[in-house]
């Protein structure tokens, strides 16, 4: 393997991205999974293209991940973490924020604060994940120090970007303050209820923003952290960085991009990870019109759960993943892991870009 491969797995409305990098030291492969997609059965149609990340990795005969990244505690990004941990060997887990140990076995009542139900349901998934890691002795690292590089090999590093304004930096402290000394969340407390609503509104902006650098190739993943919440310093850093591949944050909802971000990032490839039913205003056409209008070098636009998105994208049929192959000085390609026809072998289509 002499190239970087980035698998955007079709988990429907959610994120799950597998990055594979050749190791400098031996012939092994460094594998990092960023987010796991949803665990809701209704997200995955029987015989349809969407695939749970556990099944995708099993089909690829992958039995080890060096790092599992959980970008932020929302169900559509973290819910398959425990099934993954049961199936695979995982070196370590990266998260944006830890919680008090006493909270790891507690469940929050989701019926009393309807405005924050999605966050509460997600925290009720996140706390067991942390408890499972602790029980299994699996290292969990909170990436609190922004602007730091983690060097994994001579040619490969991950930079944790500073994507948070001062208001966003308070998210972790506010999250921890929900829990009393016994790990309970007192929904009856008006202050706690108000804090839950605020946290629900700000959770996306707390996502880890990561810049993967292998040789001269750079891949930018920012979870659901959208440009409107990025500080000026991040725009300045991105202005000086030639990005090859950018996953559009927040599933291509209208807040996922703005003119300033387009000019700062200006990548060769933009991938939208969203469901083809375009719920929640995802894969919003205004985003791609904005990109067309303001990006000088037109990027290749790719979608994880679409067969056709006129006038930007069309493939031969439904697919379980798109895999970008990137290497310095070489032509890039995208491979579509097409859904096989009944009683036929797996099929793949590759396009040189």
């Amino acid at each position: 393997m002499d190239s970087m491969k980035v698998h955007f797995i079709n988990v429907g409305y959610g994120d799950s991205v597998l990055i594979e990098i050749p190791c400098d030291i031996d012939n092994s492969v460094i594998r990092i999974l960023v987010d796991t997609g949803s665990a809701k059965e209704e997200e995955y149609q029987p015989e349809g293209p969407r695939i749970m990340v556990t099944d995708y990795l099993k089909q690829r005969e992958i039995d080890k991940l060096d790092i599992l990244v959980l970008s932020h505690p929302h169900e559509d990004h973290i819910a398959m973490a425990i099934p993954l941990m049961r199936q695979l060997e995982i070196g370590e887990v990266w998260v944006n924020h830890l919680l008090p140990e006493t909270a790891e076995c507690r469940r929050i009542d989701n019926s009393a604060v309807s405005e924050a139900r999605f966050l509460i349901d997600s925290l009720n998934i996140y706390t067991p994940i942390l408890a499972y890691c602790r029980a299994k002795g699996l290292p969990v690292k909170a990436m609190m120090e922004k602007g730091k590089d983690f060097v994994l090999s001579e040619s490969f590093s991950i930079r944790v970007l500073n994507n948070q304004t001062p208001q966003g930096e308070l998210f972790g402290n506010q999250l921890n303050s929900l829990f009393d000394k016994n790990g309970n969340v007192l929904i009856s407390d008006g202050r706690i209820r108000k804090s839950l609503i605020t946290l629900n509104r700000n959770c996306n902006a707390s996502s880890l923003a990561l810049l993967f650098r292998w040789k001269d190739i750079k891949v930018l993943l920012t979870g659901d952290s959208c440009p409107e919440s990025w500080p000026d310093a991040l725009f300045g850093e991105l202005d000086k960085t030639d990005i090859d591949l950018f996953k559009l944050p927040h599933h291509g909802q209208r807040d996922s991009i703005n003119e300033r971000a387009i000019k700062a990032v200006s990548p060769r490839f933009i991938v939208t990870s969203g469901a083809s039913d375009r719920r929640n205003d995802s894969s919003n056409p205004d985003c791609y019109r904005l990109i067309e209008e303001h990006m000088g070098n037109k990027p290749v636009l790719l979608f994880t759960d679409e067969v056709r998105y006129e006038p930007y994208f069309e493939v031969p049929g439904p697919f379980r993943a798109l895999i970008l192959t990137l290497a310095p000085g070489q032509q890039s390609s995208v491979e579509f892991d097409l859904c096989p026809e009944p009683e036929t072998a797996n099929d793949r289509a590759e396009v040189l870009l």
Side-chain angles (χ1 to χ4, degrees), residues 67 94 141 143 145-153 156-162 209-214 218 237 241:
I67 302 172
W94 290 11
K141 296 181 179 178
M143 299 288 107
E145 189 176 346
K146 308 302 181 184
K148 182 176 180 179
D149 291 300
F150 292 83
V151 178
L152 279 74
S153 75
F156 177 47
S157 66
I158 305 173
R159 184 168 178 79
V160 180
L161 297 169
N162 182 9
L210 303 176
L211 179 64
F212 297 83
R213 296 191 278 205
W214 176 67
K218 300 176 186 69
E237 184 171 357
T241 307

Side-chain angles (χ1 to χ4, degrees), residues 36-330:
T36 71
S38 172
K40 295 178 180 177
E41 290 186 4
E42 59 266 29
E43 196 67 55
Y44 306 91
Q45 318 97 319
E47 309 302 325
R50 299 176 190 170
I51 185 169
M52 285 187 170
V53 63
T54 45
D55 293 333
Y56 182 77
L57 297 181
K58 186 175 181 180
Q59 288 180 10
R60 294 261 164 178
E61 298 183 342
I62 294 172
D63 57 11
K64 179 182 178 181
L65 295 172
D66 294 276
I67 302 172
L68 170 62
V69 179
L70 303 177
S71 67
H72 64 295
H74 269 167
E75 190 276 341
D76 56 318
H77 290 256
I78 66 169
M80 289 296 293
I82 290 178
L84 265 177
M85 293 171 187
R86 289 174 175 154
Q87 176 175 306
L88 305 175
E89 177 185 347
I90 296 175
E92 58 188 42
V93 179
W94 290 11
V95 298
N96 60 347
H97 296 288
L98 290 171
L99 297 176
E101 287 183 35
T102 52
E104 292 178 4
C105 296
R106 297 291 188 268
R107 186 168 183 84
I108 308 170
D109 179 10
N110 71 351
S111 63
V113 191
S114 59
E115 303 95 325
R117 178 166 288 180
F118 185 53
L119 174 68
I120 293 171
D121 288 343
S122 296
L123 288 176
N124 285 336
I125 295 168
Y126 187 51
T127 51
I129 291 171
L130 296 177
Y132 186 90
C133 291
R134 185 175 301 280
K136 297 298 181 181
L138 183 56
V140 180
K141 296 181 179 178
M143 299 288 107
M144 301 295 291
E145 189 176 346
K146 308 302 181 184
K148 182 176 180 179
D149 291 300
F150 292 83
V151 178
L152 279 74
S153 75
E154 185 177 332
S155 59
F156 177 47
S157 66
I158 305 173
R159 184 168 178 79
V160 180
L161 297 169
N162 182 9
N163 63 316
Q164 295 178 5
T165 61
Q167 181 182 2
E169 291 173 358
L170 297 174
F171 181 89
N173 292 333
Q174 293 171 336
L175 188 62
N176 278 282
S177 68
L178 290 175
F179 302 91
D180 67 14
K181 64 180 181 179
N182 297 314
N184 296 308
V185 176
L186 303 178
I187 298 293
S188 58
D189 186 328
R191 181 186 61 83
I192 294 295
R193 293 164 62 92
K194 184 177 180 180
S195 185
L196 275 165
I197 294 168
T198 301
L199 287 165
N200 184 67
R201 190 166 54 244
N202 295 335
C203 188
N204 284 333
S206 78
S207 298
L208 287 175
L210 303 176
L211 179 64
F212 297 83
R213 296 191 278 205
W214 176 67
K215 298 184 177 180
D216 291 334
I217 302 297
K218 300 176 186 69
V219 174
L220 176 62
L221 305 179
T222 67
D224 282 348
S225 170
C226 297
E228 65 183 16
S229 66
W230 295 353
D232 291 341
L234 178 56
F235 285 103
E237 184 171 357
L238 294 175
D239 273 329
K240 300 172 186 175
T241 307
D242 293 326
I243 304 295
D244 295 277
L245 168 60
F246 176 44
K247 183 194 73 69
L248 209 60
H250 206 197
H251 318 289
Q253 292 187 31
R254 183 58 191 85
D255 60 355
S256 67
I257 200 73
N258 59 24
E259 184 177 343
R260 189 180 184 189
I262 289 169
K263 292 178 179 178
V265 179
S266 192
R268 289 194 290 150
F269 305 99
I270 294 178
V271 178
T272 301
S273 180
S276 54
D277 56 31
R278 302 182 192 173
R279 77 192 78 147
N280 302 326
D281 199 31
S282 58
S283 302
N284 188 301
D286 288 346
C287 295
Y288 312 110
R289 283 196 287 267
L290 202 64
I291 290 167
E292 289 275 294
E293 289 172 7
H294 296 287
M295 197 170 287
N297 297 320
K298 298 295 185 286
V300 176
L301 298 177
L302 300 166
F303 301 81
T304 59
D305 191 43
E306 301 275 359
V307 173
R308 181 180 298 104
Y309 196 121
E310 296 181 347
Y312 312 112
F313 178 78
E314 186 172 359
V315 289
F319 57 92
R320 291 167 292 203
L322 64 88
I323 304 110
L324 275 153
T325 300
L326 307 167
Q330 297 182 27

